[in-house]
Amino acid sequence: MVGLSDGEKHFIHGGIAQDLRSDGRKRLTYRPISVETGIIPQANGSARVKMGVTDVIASVKAELGKPSPFQPDKGKVAIYVDCSPTAAPIFESLVF
């Protein structure tokens, strides 16, 4: 993790002292929040959360299957994560 420079610290302290954020809101003014559930019919669970201009969609899909004949008493959990490259450029070439 990279620390903050002295200039960044000064900017943050100035905003706190003036009760102002870089987007013009007051420190205690939050962005409008909305939550919708069940937005992806093919998923077992899904939600869309909007906070200001930030828009996030998350879903969960679960399937039951038979255990391997070689390990009949063992289960299996597979987790897949798909991040849209529009979330941030860092997600463009990552595979989770």
Side-chain angles (χ1 to χ4, degrees):
M1 180 188 282
V2 178
L4 296 174
S5 70
D6 288 338
E8 290 167 321
K9 290 176 187 177
H10 180 72
F11 179 79
I12 292 169
H13 287 166
I16 292 169
Q18 296 175 33
D19 192 26
L20 190 63
R21 296 180 190 221
S22 61
D23 63 3
R25 289 181 289 134
K26 301 283 187 190
R27 281 185 304 145
L28 299 178
T29 303
Y30 59 89
R31 294 176 277 173
I33 300 170
S34 70
V35 177
E36 300 171 66
T37 59
I39 63 162
I40 301 175
Q42 300 87 351
N44 297 100
S46 62
R48 179 181 201 167
V49 178
K50 292 182 182 180
M51 187 178 200
V53 297
T54 302
D55 193 356
V56 177
I57 297 175
S59 68
V60 175
K61 178 108 174 120
E63 295 179 8
L64 293 176
K66 289 185 176 182
S68 162
F70 302 108
Q71 295 180 321
D73 59 339
K74 304 284 183 188
K76 180 171 100 172
V77 175
I79 299 172
Y80 301 96
V81 176
D82 184 17
C83 293
S84 168
T86 60
I90 193 171
F91 294 122
E92 205 160 321
S93 60
L94 291 180
V95 176
F96 295 93

